[in-house]
C-alpha cells in the first residue's frame, strides 16, 4: 500500500464498491485507494441465495451492533446488523431490489434544493444506467409487465423479474469487460402455478402492480431480487471483480480518523499509519460508521466532542442526528398441504448433517429442501386512507404530512413467503412481514460511546416514540391481518402460529412492542440539505459543509428514508 493516492474511499459496501469502480474507470490517469475494515467476502459457499436470511450470522460478515434500550419496545436492545467487508450490507441483506416511489424522490429534490438533480427523472436515468434488465418470461406475463423506458439494458448489472419456480432465475450479475453476447441470461425452469394462485387470491383484494420499480410501487407485485444462478449478488461482486490497474483495494484496514490541515481533508489514519490523498477523501462507511468516523475525526456537535475530549475541527451539530429506520413484525400461519403457497423448515432448524445434504442437493440440481427458499416473494406497498385520516396524522407538522402524502407514496409495506426460524419441519407455513417506518418526529441518533475507535457507537433509532408512529404501526398490522383473513386466503390456514392476540389497539401494540425488530434500513445521519438549513451536513454534490476535500457518499446523506 502506497503512502499517497489521488482519492481515498473509506468503505467498500454498496456505495463504495460502485463509486470505486466508476471513479477509477472514468479517471484512469489517477490512483484510487479503497479501504475496508472487513475482509474480501469472496467465499462463494457463503453466498447461497437460499440461505440469504442467515448469512448475517457468518463471523466476520456483520458488525453485530445493537441499539440502546428502546423504551417503546419494552426496553429491548434491538439487533442492528450492518454488513462488514467488501459488499457491505449487500453481502448480508435479504436481496430485495426496490427503488422507492416517484413522489419520494421529488420530495427529496425539494428538501435539498436539487433543482431536478434528485428528482425522479434524473434518478430514473441513473437507475437505468446501473441496470441490465431482462424482460420476464412468457409464463410470468400475467404478473409482470415492465415498460422499456423504466428499465436499463446496458448497465453493469443484469436484472430481471423472478419467475415463480422451484429454483430462482433472477439475473443480477457483473458484466464488466464481457461482451453482451457472452452473458448467460436464462436457464430452463418449470413454472410453479401455486405462486400464481397465491398472487391471484391476494390481488382480488389489493390492486395488482406489474412493476414495483416503475416509480409507482402501490399494489401487490412479484418482488425483484438480487440473485444469479441461485447465488447472492453483492455490490463488490458486481463492481470489483476485475478492477482496473489504478484501483487499489485493501481489506482488513480500519480507518480510525480523517486527517486535516485547517479545514481540508488530506488523508486518513489506518492502524497508526498515515495515508494521504492529493485530491479528496470520500466516506462510504454507511449510516452508522460514517457519522462515527466523522465524530472521531473532530466534525460534529461541539458539546459531544468535548464530552469525549476530542479536538473540534469543524462544528456540524447534526452529524449523527436524524437517524431514520423502519420496523417490521411477522404474522405466521401454519398452512394446509394444499395451500397455494408456503415454506417448509428454515435452514437453521435443520441438523448440521441435514443442512449439508440439502446444500449438496441444491448445488447438484437446484432441488431439495433449500429449493423453496429460492422461490420469489410477494411484495406489497399499501396506501391506507384509514391511517392518513386519523387524528394523529392531523397533529403532525406540515412538512411531516407532506412527506407522507403523494399519489405514489405507500403508508406501509408487506412481504410474504419469508422464512421463520421458529416453525420446524414438517409444518408448512406462511410468514408475512409488515413494515412501517418512523416519521421525522421519531428520528434517533448515532453517537460515540467513547473516543476509542474500536468501541461500538451508541445507536438509538427512537422507535415508536411519536404517537403517529404507534397509530401507523397498529393500523398497518390490523389491515394486514384482515387481508390474510379474506376467505380465499383463510381457507389455506390451519392456525395462526404467531401474531397479535386480537385486533384491538392494545393487543396489536403489545405484539409489536414484544416482537418488532429493525429492517436494517438506517439513513439520514449525515443528511443532505439546503445550505441555510441548520440540519444540513452535506450539499447536493455530497461535499461536507464547511470542509474541503471531504465528501460522504452513502445512505447517511438521505434527508429521509425513501419508502
Amino acid at each position: 500500500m502506497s503512502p499517497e493516492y489521488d482519492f481515498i474511499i473509506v468503505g467498500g459496501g454498496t456505495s463504495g464498491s460502485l463509486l470505486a469502480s466508476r471513479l477509477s474507470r472514468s479517471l484512469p490517469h489517477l490512483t484510487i485507494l479503497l479501504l475496508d475494515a472487513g475482509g474480501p467476502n469472496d467465499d462463494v459457499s457463503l453466498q447461497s441465495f437460499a440461505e440469504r436470511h442467515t448469512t448475517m450470522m457468518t463471523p466476520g460478515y456483520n458488525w453485530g451492533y445493537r441499539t440502546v434500550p428502546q423504551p417503546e419496545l419494552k426496553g429491548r436492545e434491538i439487533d442492528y446488523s450492518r454488513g462488514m467487508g467488501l459488499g457491505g450490507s449487500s453481502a448480508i441483506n435479504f436481496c430485495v431490489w426496490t427503488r422507492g416511489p416517484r413522489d419520494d424522490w421529488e420530495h427529496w429534490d425539494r428538501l435539498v434544493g436539487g433543482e431536478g438533480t434528485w428528482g425522479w427523472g434524473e434518478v430514473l436515468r441513473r437507475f437505468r444506467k446501473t441496470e441490465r434488465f431482462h424482460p420476464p418470461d412468457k409464463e410470468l406475463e400475467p404478473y409482470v409487465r415492465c415498460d422499456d423506458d423504466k428499465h436499463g439494458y446496458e448497465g453493469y448489472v443484469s436484472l430481471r423479474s423472478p419467475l415463480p419456480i422451484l429454483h430462482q432465475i433472477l439475473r443480477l450479475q457483473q458484466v464488466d469487460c464481457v461482451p453482451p453476447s457472452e452473458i448467460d441470461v436464462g436457464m430452463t425452469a418449470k413454472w410453479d402455478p401455486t405462486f400464481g394462485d397465491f398472487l391471484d387470491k391476494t390481488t382480488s383484494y389489493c390492486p395488482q402492480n406489474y412493476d414495483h420499480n416503475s416509480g409507482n410501487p402501490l399494489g401487490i407485485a412479484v418482488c425483484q431480487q438480487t440473485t444469479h444462478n441461485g447465488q447472492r449478488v453483492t455490490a463488490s461482486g458486481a463492481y470489483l471483480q476485475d478492477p482496473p490497474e489504478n484501483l487499489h483495494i485493501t481489506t482488513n484496514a480500519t480507518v480510525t480518523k480523517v486527517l486535516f490541515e485547517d479545514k481540508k481533508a488530506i488523508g486518513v489514519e489506518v492502524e497508526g499509519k498515515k495515508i494521504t490523498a492529493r485530491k479528496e477523501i470520500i466516506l462510504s462507511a454507511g449510516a452508522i460508521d460514517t457519522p462515527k468516523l466523522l465524530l472521531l475525526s473532530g466534525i460534529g456537535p461541539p458539546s459531544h466532542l468535548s464530552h469525549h475530549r476530542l479536538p473540534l475541527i469543524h462544528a456540524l451539530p447534526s452529524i449523527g442526528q436524524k437517524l431514520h429506520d423502519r420496523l417490521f413484525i411477522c404474522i405466521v400461519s401454519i398452512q394446509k398441504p394444499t395451500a397455494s403457497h408456503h415454506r417448509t423448515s428454515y435452514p437453521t432448524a435443520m441438523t448440521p448433517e441435514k443442512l449439508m445434504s440439502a446444500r449438496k442437493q441444491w448445488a447438484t440440481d437446484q432441488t431439495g429442501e433449500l429449493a423453496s427458499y429460492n422461490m420469489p416473494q410477494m411484495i406489497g406497498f399499501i396506501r391506507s386512507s384509514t391511517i392518513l385520516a386519523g387524528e394523529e396524522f392531523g397533529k403532525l407538522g406540515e412538512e411531516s404530512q407532506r412527506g407522507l402524502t403523494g399519489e405514489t407514496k405507500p403508508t406501509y409495506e408487506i412481504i410474504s413467503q419469508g422464512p421463520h426460524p421458529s416453525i420446524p419441519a414438517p409444518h408448512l407455513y406462511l410468514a408475512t412481514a409488515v413494515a412501517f417506518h418512523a416519521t421525522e418526529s421519531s428520528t434517533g441518533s448515532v453517537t460515540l460511546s467513547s473516543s476509542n475507535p474500536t468501541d461500538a457507537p451508541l445507536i438509538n433509532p427512537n422507535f415508536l416514540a411519536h404517537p403517529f408512529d404507534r397509530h401507523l404501526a397498529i393500523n398497518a398490522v390490523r389491515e394486514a391481518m384482515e387481508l390474510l383473513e379474506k376467505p380465499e386466503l383463510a381457507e389455506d390456514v390451519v392456525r395462526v402460529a404467531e401474531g397479535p392476540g386480537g385486533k384491538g389497539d392494545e393487543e396489536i401494540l403489545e405484539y409489536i412492542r414484544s416482537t418488532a425488530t429493525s429492517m436494517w434500513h438506517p439513513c439520514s445521519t449525515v443528511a443532505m440539505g439546503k445550505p441555510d438549513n441548520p440540519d444540513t451536513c452535506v450539499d447536493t454534490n455530497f461535499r461536507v459543509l464547511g470542509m474541503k476535500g471531504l465528501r460522504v457518499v452513502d445512505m447517511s446523506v438521505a434527508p429521509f428514508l425513501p419508502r
Side-chain angles (χ1 to χ4, degrees), residues 363-380:
T364 300
D365 57 10
Q366 290 76 55
T367 64
E369 294 196 55
L370 290 181
S372 68
Y373 291 96
N374 284 274
M375 299 178 84
Q377 295 171 279
M378 177 274 283
I379 193 167

Side-chain angles (χ1 to χ4, degrees), residues 235-283:
S236 57
Y239 288 100
L240 301 179
Q241 288 303 297
D242 186 23
E245 291 184 359
N246 64 324
L247 174 58
H248 305 268
I249 302 171
T250 301
T251 55
N252 299 305
T254 301
V255 175
T256 54
K257 69 168 63 174
V258 180
L259 305 173
F260 301 96
E261 284 185 357
D262 296 325
K263 298 285 185 174
K264 178 176 174 56
I266 61 166
V268 296
E269 186 176 287
V270 180
E271 299 170 359
K273 297 180 181 179
K274 178 180 177 181
I275 308 171
T276 58
R278 288 181 283 267
K279 295 189 177 294
E280 292 190 4
I281 307 295
I282 305 172
L283 305 185

Side-chain angles (χ1 to χ4, degrees), residues 34 71 95 231 255 345 369 486 504 534 542 562:
L34 175 62
C95 302
Q231 294 291 105
V255 175
S345 61
E369 294 196 55
K486 298 298 184 182
F542 305 95

Side-chain angles (χ1 to χ4, degrees), residues 179-236:
S181 60
E182 296 180 10
I183 298 171
D184 175 22
V185 294
M187 59 189 283
T188 303
K190 182 179 179 181
W191 168 254
D192 174 17
T194 67
F195 185 72
D197 293 343
F198 180 82
L199 287 175
D200 290 339
K201 291 179 178 182
T202 307
T203 55
S204 64
Y205 297 100
C206 293
Q208 186 167 350
N209 188 316
Y210 295 104
D211 178 8
H212 66 86
N213 281 321
S214 67
N216 183 356
L218 296 179
I220 301 295
V222 178
C223 185
Q224 297 173 20
Q225 295 175 291
T226 54
T227 177
H228 172 59
N229 280 346
Q231 294 291 105
R232 168 194 296 276
V233 174
T234 69
S236 57

Side-chain angles (χ1 to χ4, degrees), residues 40-348:
N41 292 355
D42 55 0
D43 185 346
V44 295
S45 70
L46 297 174
Q47 296 174 0
S48 167
F49 183 73
E51 297 177 71
R52 64 193 181 281
H53 301 97
T54 58
T55 310
M56 64 173 61
M57 303 175 189
T58 305
Y61 274 56
N62 193 337
W63 283 98
Y65 292 144
R66 300 190 73 81
T67 70
V68 299
Q70 297 296 289
E72 291 294 333
L73 298 180
K74 296 189 171 183
R76 291 185 293 131
E77 296 180 3
I78 306 301
D79 177 272
Y80 225 68
S81 292
R82 308 306 305 146
M84 184 179 189
L86 295 184
S89 291
S90 72
I92 66 169
N93 67 9
F94 295 169
C95 302
V96 174
W97 175 271
T98 63
R99 297 174 174 175
R102 178 180 66 243
D103 286 299
D104 266 356
W105 292 106
E106 297 298 336
H107 184 53
W108 181 320
D109 193 62
R110 286 193 298 270
L111 286 177
V112 305
E115 298 182 349
T117 303
W118 286 95
W120 172 248
E122 181 61 19
V123 168
L124 175 60
R125 183 185 70 81
R126 296 174 186 176
F127 274 123
R128 294 185 69 198
K129 181 180 178 180
T130 300
E131 285 184 357
R132 188 175 181 88
F133 186 82
H134 300 273
D137 292 348
K138 183 174 293 186
E139 293 97 332
L140 202 54
E141 287 180 357
Y143 307 103
V144 178
R145 303 169 195 168
C146 300
D147 295 336
D148 288 349
D149 62 352
K150 297 297 192 300
H151 291 275
Y153 297 88
E154 298 179 357
Y156 278 88
V157 293
S158 291
L159 178 72
R160 73 184 298 175
S161 294
L163 271 174
I165 51 175
L166 292 179
H167 50 289
Q168 188 63 256
I169 65 166
L170 180 64
R171 303 291 177 235
L172 183 60
Q173 66 180 43
Q174 174 206 358
V175 298
D176 290 310
C177 307
V178 180
S181 60
E182 296 180 10
I183 298 171
D184 175 22
V185 294
M187 59 189 283
T188 303
K190 182 179 179 181
W191 168 254
D192 174 17
T194 67
F195 185 72
D197 293 343
F198 180 82
L199 287 175
D200 290 339
K201 291 179 178 182
T202 307
T203 55
S204 64
Y205 297 100
C206 293
Q208 186 167 350
N209 188 316
Y210 295 104
D211 178 8
H212 66 86
N213 281 321
S214 67
N216 183 356
L218 296 179
I220 301 295
V222 178
C223 185
Q224 297 173 20
Q225 295 175 291
T226 54
T227 177
H228 172 59
N229 280 346
Q231 294 291 105
R232 168 194 296 276
V233 174
T234 69
S236 57
Y239 288 100
L240 301 179
Q241 288 303 297
D242 186 23
E245 291 184 359
N246 64 324
L247 174 58
H248 305 268
I249 302 171
T250 301
T251 55
N252 299 305
T254 301
V255 175
T256 54
K257 69 168 63 174
V258 180
L259 305 173
F260 301 96
E261 284 185 357
D262 296 325
K263 298 285 185 174
K264 178 176 174 56
I266 61 166
V268 296
E269 186 176 287
V270 180
E271 299 170 359
K273 297 180 181 179
K274 178 180 177 181
I275 308 171
T276 58
R278 288 181 283 267
K279 295 189 177 294
E280 292 190 4
I281 307 295
I282 305 172
L283 305 185
S284 295
I288 304 303
D289 285 291
T290 285
K292 175 189 172 184
L293 182 56
L294 286 169
L295 292 169
L296 288 169
S297 303
I299 299 177
S303 60
H304 185 58
L305 299 178
S306 175
H307 176 74
H308 291 290
R309 299 182 179 179
L310 290 165
L312 176 67
I313 301 297
H314 182 61
L316 273 180
S318 287
I319 296 292
Q321 303 303 302
K322 292 188 65 179
L323 173 63
H324 282 70
D325 196 8
R326 54 171 59 96
L327 280 170
F328 81 97
I329 60 95
C330 272
I331 301 171
V332 186
S333 58
I334 303 299
Q335 301 291 95
K336 298 175 182 177
T338 56
S340 58
H341 204 50
H342 51 67
R343 291 289 193 242
T344 184
S345 61
Y346 194 57
T348 54

